Amino acid sequence: MAAGAEVRLLGERLSPYCIRVQQALAVKGVAGYEYVEEDLERKSQLLLSSNPVHGKVPVLLHRGAPVCESLVIVQYVDEAWAGPAILPSDPYERSRARFWAAYIDDKFFPSWEPFFKSNTAETFKNALPAVGTLEGALEECSNGKPFFGGDSIGYVDVALGGYLGWIKAVDEVAGTSLLDGARFPRLAAWAESFAAADAVRGASPAVQDIVAFYKKMQAGGETGASH
Amino acid sequence: MAAGAEVRLLGERLSPYCIRVQQALAVKGVAGYEYVEEDLERKSQLLLSSNPVHGKVPVLLHRGAPVCESLVIVQYVDEAWAGPAILPSDPYERSRARFWAAYIDDKFFPSWEPFFKSNTAETFKNALPAVGTLEGALEECSNGKPFFGGDSIGYVDVALGGYLGWIKAVDEVAGTSLLDGARFPRLAAWAESFAAADAVRGASPAVQDIVAFYKKMQAGGETGASH
């Protein structure tokens, strides 16, 4: 459905959290919304007044009312619009999806984030246990289907999907393969399915753009995706 | 409704996160469940197998199926049982409730947690800004009614309510008044209303028990409510 200026997203193009929200909007079929790129060095008055507590992107403005924090936004998008479900309908499955989305932000990301500063063999090794846990989560959630959400992209998929371009970019620069098929066959297949999925095509920046940004970060020219 | 052994809660009596879940079960009217006290120095096999990722309490077992992470549990309780609603029904209000519950765990608690180590004037001062933000949140959410949830205890109420006994205990030992009526009139009134509410009476330990535990922590005999 066309959302027009009724829906605005304040974002930063390469932020995993903004990508995640754009993927959720795409899955839900919310189209034609206004995307506003923020300069985080000079935040707009609209951003500061819409998210006075954190001052961070993403912020979704729906008929002017701000929704902040990416996982809160994804749940809001799921509840406020008709369209394909992002969260499962069964309460227990919903609880598992929420558990794993929180794990991705609270455990996986902090274990992988050191790549922003250095990409040594130790950085890589330290990131593996959380990826291994996610391999198990995918087995648990997917019931042998391609996505955490089963046959279609759901809550855990966009939670992890927001980072996917970054994972690929870091792999390219560092010469690593985080979601290696030999080590993590399910996640490797998931990454391929996710990247190929019509539902989120166009909702993610080109990996090469992230590569260029990451190289600048490595050179000390950028402070990273800090939101 | 009586839950019998169909519902088991693995907890630790003084953990704010376990208290929060017990408050949510009480609000929802889930009664007669089996409460299992865990010794966190010697975690049970049931705890470790129910929450292999974090190994933490609380864990709610519903017909044997484990739900972990206190805010995930509270949402599960709200969705899996009939009874008074814990989250609002309107998607936008739900998003605000989720935003503030996350704020309580991610910002308020870390700013107040230093009291576990020292209760100097500086510790107190550093905790005030987040409390001030919550005073504004209460104004925003309550529409002039006693609770974040309006006339009845809701999601943000139990998110903060799990800490309330701890706040009182620390105040008593430190000689402070974190939710002081002169500084934070809304939160001070909220704390009184919450403590007096029939819906959660009996779901929280006695403040004096927390005082005794906190004094031991201060003396170095306990490692704190680490879950």
Side-chain angles (χ1 to χ4, degrees):
Chain A
M1 75 205 72
E6 178 180 284
V7 180
R8 278 197 286 185
L9 179 63
L10 312 185
E12 196 281 317
R13 207 167 60 89
L14 302 184
S15 153
Y17 306 106
C18 298
I19 296 168
R20 167 191 286 174
V21 167
Q22 290 175 287
Q23 291 169 342
L25 288 163
V27 165
K28 204 70 184 178
V30 181
Y33 58 87
E34 183 186 349
Y35 175 81
V36 182
E37 179 77 2
E38 283 284 334
D39 177 352
L40 297 177
E41 304 291 313
R42 281 190 302 272
K43 295 175 181 176
S44 73
Q45 271 309 311
L46 182 59
L47 173 57
L48 295 172
S49 64
S50 301
N51 189 359
V53 171
H54 302 299
K56 288 182 178 176
V57 292
V59 174
L60 185 82
L61 291 151
H62 190 193
R63 299 186 198 111
V67 186
C68 308
E69 300 285 271
S70 66
L71 289 179
V72 174
I73 297 173
V74 172
Q75 290 178 84
Y76 176 76
V77 167
D78 195 32
E79 295 177 354
W81 277 276
I86 294 175
L87 277 126
S89 58
D90 173 72
Y92 189 72
E93 287 177 27
R94 291 165 71 84
S95 79
R96 295 308 293 165
R98 290 188 178 119
F99 176 86
W100 288 119
Y103 180 85
I104 286 166
D105 280 1
D106 299 343
K107 299 290 175 184
F108 161 72
F109 180 69
S111 80
W112 175 80
E113 188 184 21
F115 270 115
F116 288 174
K117 295 207 168 141
S118 73
N119 51 31
T120 64
E122 197 181 349
T123 315
F124 183 74
K125 198 178 131 203
N126 290 341
L128 291 182
V131 181
T133 300
L134 286 178
E135 176 82 356
L138 181 52
E139 182 180 10
E140 173 200 310
C141 295
S142 66
N143 289 316
K145 291 170 179 173
F147 299 109
F148 289 90
D151 284 319
S152 57
I153 288 173
Y155 191 56
V156 186
D157 296 288
V158 297
L160 188 57
Y163 295 114
L164 185 56
W166 273 93
I167 291 170
K168 289 181 177 179
V170 168
D171 275 346
E172 182 173 323
V173 175
T176 51
S177 178
L178 191 73
L179 310 183
D180 183 67
R183 208 181 250 123
F184 305 119
R186 287 185 185 86
L187 281 172
W190 170 86
E192 283 195 23
S193 300
F194 191 91
D198 288 336
V200 293
R201 201 189 307 276
S204 319
V207 172
Q208 287 312 312
D209 291 355
I210 306 178
V211 165
F213 187 87
Y214 180 54
K215 283 180 174 168
K216 271 195 222 169
M217 279 171 68
Q218 291 270 301
E222 299 283 352
T223 51
S226 60
H227 18 276
Chain B
M1 77 204 74
E6 177 180 284
V7 181
R8 278 196 287 184
L9 179 63
L10 313 185
E12 196 282 316
R13 206 167 60 89
L14 301 185
S15 154
Y17 307 106
C18 298
I19 297 168
R20 167 191 287 174
V21 167
Q22 289 175 287
Q23 290 169 343
L25 287 163
V27 166
K28 204 69 184 177
V30 181
Y33 57 88
E34 183 186 350
Y35 175 81
V36 181
E37 179 77 2
E38 282 284 335
D39 176 353
L40 297 177
E41 304 292 313
R42 282 191 301 272
K43 294 175 182 176
S44 73
Q45 271 309 309
L46 183 60
L47 172 57
L48 295 172
S49 64
S50 301
N51 190 358
V53 172
H54 302 299
K56 288 181 178 178
V57 294
V59 174
L60 185 81
L61 291 151
H62 190 193
R63 299 184 199 113
V67 187
C68 308
E69 299 286 88
S70 65
L71 289 179
V72 174
I73 297 173
V74 172
Q75 290 178 84
Y76 175 77
V77 167
D78 196 31
E79 295 177 353
W81 277 276
I86 294 175
L87 276 125
S89 59
D90 174 72
Y92 189 73
E93 286 177 29
R94 290 165 72 83
S95 80
R96 295 309 293 166
R98 290 188 177 119
F99 176 86
W100 287 119
Y103 180 85
I104 287 165
D105 280 1
D106 300 343
K107 300 289 176 186
F108 160 72
F109 180 68
S111 80
W112 175 80
E113 188 184 21
F115 269 116
F116 289 174
K117 294 206 171 141
S118 72
N119 51 31
T120 64
E122 197 180 350
T123 314
F124 183 74
K125 199 179 130 202
N126 290 340
L128 291 181
V131 181
T133 300
L134 286 178
E135 176 82 356
L138 180 54
E139 182 179 11
E140 173 200 309
C141 295
S142 66
N143 289 316
K145 292 171 178 170
F147 298 111
F148 289 90
D151 284 319
S152 57
I153 288 173
Y155 190 57
V156 186
D157 296 288
V158 297
L160 189 57
Y163 295 115
L164 185 56
W166 273 93
I167 291 171
K168 289 180 178 180
V170 167
D171 274 347
E172 181 172 324
V173 175
T176 51
S177 177
L178 190 74
L179 310 182
D180 183 67
R183 208 182 250 121
F184 305 119
R186 288 185 185 85
L187 281 172
W190 170 87
E192 283 196 22
S193 300
F194 191 91
D198 287 337
V200 293
R201 201 189 306 277
S204 319
V207 172
Q208 286 313 313
D209 291 356
I210 307 178
V211 165
F213 186 86
Y214 178 55
K215 283 181 174 168
K216 272 195 223 171
M217 279 171 69
Q218 291 270 301
E222 298 284 352
T223 52
S226 59
H227 18 277

